[in-house]
Amino acid sequence: MLFKQQALLRQKLFVLGSLAIGSLLYLVARVGSLDRLQPLCPIDGRFGPHSQDEIPLRALQFKRGLLHEFRKGNATKEQIRLHNLVQQLPKAIIIGVRKGGTRALLEMLNLHPAVVKASQEIHFFDNDENYAKGIEWYRKKMPFSYPHQITIEKSPAYFITEEVPERIYKMNSSIKLLIIVREPTTRAISDYTQVLEGKERKNKTYYKFEKLAIDPNTCEVNTKYKAVRTSIYTKHLERWLKYFPIEQFHIVDGDRLITEPLPELQLVEKFLNLPPRISQYNLYFNATRGFYCLRFNIVFNKCLAGSKGRIHPEVDTSVITKLRKFFHPFNQKFYQITGRTFNWP
């Protein structure tokens, strides 16, 4: 009898202990979700007039969930209207470059409570068929946001497409433009690697990088190869400068964003006239993945897709040397135009 009573007592203590631990975990999670609930400062600069009421971060976090439900069809338009959400044209665009780190930059900027990102590449300005649908079609592709927030989209093809600068200028001549670059030869090899992986998934063969990057007839760099042309940053930037002053561009170091992301993100915050909100707390190095992942709060983390950080194929060192020598004068001019110097070979 005594044994049964002791067993019953132990069972009750176990249940009470489980409830206590569960309650404690809930409180920890709750505190984590509230750790950024300080009021959001109004956005300075050209991003519209200040509102009398600041948006609490809790409301912004609630909005993320609400919009997720709206996209699934589980929330009504009336709910969207009641929460004063709108679809705005972007006030900043990540225009390139391909394989420079555009997705990483967009996702990291989305850590900021005043930034709302377009989930997909819209390809409005570089696609004639989409562009013909008009600016209202483009606006409706944007995510819902509060009027105070900045909508940002990214389409890397914008940087190298000839018609795009004029088209964006016609939409908004004072828009902020973000360009993220990596060492040109590394970027070209990364570009090749992505295409190669796509071919392999379809069981197709593909040329080696050396054969594409070097003209077999002249043994010189093949400037007709798209991966090479894209890495001649200054040639593309000069076309943009016919429409926009250099002050409307911000150059992001894609190599540094991989190894030391916070300083780069803080520079972007300043360029966009955003109050500083992204901190080291929001970024943590994932040793398994080999790059930084994102921490929104104590219960919600996010890493980029597994396709990021692909292993590059081995490339003949003489080809790498030839490419770096080819890109060198273009790089020097790029430094001069942008006012930012990189440690590229």
Side-chain angles (χ1 to χ4, degrees):
M1 185 66 177
L2 179 61
F3 177 77
K4 289 183 178 180
Q5 289 177 342
Q6 289 176 338
L8 183 60
L9 180 59
R10 284 196 297 269
Q11 185 177 9
K12 288 180 179 180
L13 290 173
F14 175 80
V15 171
L16 290 172
S18 299
L19 289 173
I21 292 172
S23 299
L24 180 60
L25 289 175
Y26 171 80
L27 288 173
V28 170
R30 185 65 174 165
V31 170
S33 67
L34 297 177
D35 63 352
R36 298 169 66 209
L37 301 191
Q38 66 270 31
L40 169 66
C41 297
I43 299 168
D44 299 326
R46 289 194 296 253
F47 294 128
H50 293 189
S51 169
Q52 295 178 352
D53 297 319
E54 296 178 348
I55 306 170
L57 298 192
R58 183 176 184 179
L60 298 182
Q61 292 172 342
F62 171 76
K63 180 222 48 116
R64 292 178 189 268
L66 179 65
L67 296 186
H68 179 67
E69 293 300 309
F70 182 75
R71 293 189 188 101
K72 294 193 304 181
N74 296 337
T76 66
K77 291 183 179 180
E78 179 66 14
Q79 286 177 300
I80 297 297
R81 185 188 67 79
L82 288 174
H83 287 280
N84 194 31
L85 296 169
V86 293
Q87 287 173 294
Q88 305 182 81
L89 290 172
K91 295 186 176 74
I93 300 178
I94 301 172
I95 59 175
V97 298
R98 172 181 162 91
K99 306 312 299 174
T102 57
R103 172 57 61 182
L105 177 60
L106 183 68
E107 295 293 344
M108 288 179 178
L109 288 178
N110 193 50
L111 288 165
H112 198 292
V115 170
V116 179
K117 68 179 178 69
S119 299
Q120 303 296 324
E121 294 179 8
I122 310 299
H123 289 286
F124 177 64
F125 297 103
D126 66 308
N127 184 298
D128 291 340
E129 185 177 341
N130 287 342
Y131 190 69
K133 294 174 183 177
I135 201 71
E136 188 62 17
W137 177 88
Y138 179 56
R139 187 182 66 80
K140 289 183 178 178
K141 291 292 182 179
M142 295 298 119
F144 283 89
S145 63
Y146 287 110
H148 290 81
Q149 292 177 300
I150 296 175
T151 296
I152 298 181
E153 77 124 321
K154 74 102 175 174
S155 293
Y158 289 168
F159 185 59
I160 64 171
T161 306
E162 291 188 10
E163 299 83 2
V164 172
E166 181 179 7
R167 289 175 174 179
I168 292 182
Y169 180 84
K170 288 179 178 178
M171 177 190 74
N172 182 358
S173 61
S174 62
I175 197 165
K176 302 271 189 171
L177 301 166
L178 293 163
I179 304 172
I180 180 167
V181 294
R182 297 188 67 192
E183 190 277 313
T185 301
T186 302
R187 194 223 63 83
I189 296 172
S190 181
D191 197 329
Y192 165 83
T193 304
Q194 178 169 298
V195 176
L196 175 65
E197 185 179 279
K199 297 286 186 181
E200 290 176 341
R201 282 200 303 266
K202 298 176 182 179
N203 293 319
K204 293 183 178 181
T205 58
Y206 196 49
Y207 294 108
K208 292 187 68 175
F209 176 79
E210 291 87 340
K211 190 169 184 178
L212 294 169
I214 304 298
D215 188 325
N217 298 318
T218 64
C219 293
E220 297 299 327
V221 173
N222 179 16
T223 55
K224 294 181 180 179
Y225 179 39
K226 187 175 180 180
V228 169
R229 290 202 316 273
T230 300
S231 285
I232 308 175
Y233 304 139
T234 185
K235 291 291 186 182
H236 305 293
L237 182 59
E238 285 173 343
R239 184 170 60 252
W240 283 85
L241 291 173
K242 294 177 182 177
Y243 295 91
F244 300 96
I246 193 64
E247 292 76 20
Q248 283 178 231
F249 296 87
H250 178 72
I251 311 300
V252 178
D253 185 339
D255 296 307
R256 191 184 184 201
L257 192 73
I258 296 171
T259 60
E260 196 179 2
L262 184 58
E264 286 299 314
L265 295 173
Q266 290 172 335
L267 289 173
V268 177
E269 284 180 323
K270 185 176 180 180
F271 172 70
L272 296 178
N273 295 324
L274 291 170
R277 286 292 183 272
I278 302 174
S279 69
Q280 195 62 57
Y281 169 81
N282 301 119
L283 303 159
Y284 67 97
F285 187 77
N286 186 314
T288 303
R289 304 292 294 276
F291 49 79
Y292 279 86
C293 293
L294 317 179
R295 180 187 290 117
F296 289 85
N297 53 50
I298 199 170
V299 294
F300 180 45
N301 301 337
K302 180 178 183 179
C303 285
L304 298 179
S307 60
K308 304 301 177 184
R310 295 181 179 90
I311 298 175
H312 293 177
E314 289 188 14
V315 176
D316 189 286
T317 54
S318 65
V319 171
I320 292 177
T321 300
K322 187 181 288 286
L323 282 168
R324 286 177 172 171
K325 184 178 180 180
F326 169 81
F327 286 127
H328 183 74
F330 297 112
N331 295 343
Q332 295 301 310
K333 192 171 184 180
F334 186 70
Y335 302 160
Q336 184 180 7
I337 293 173
T338 62
R340 184 159 192 186
T341 302
F342 300 93
N343 296 320
W344 297 338

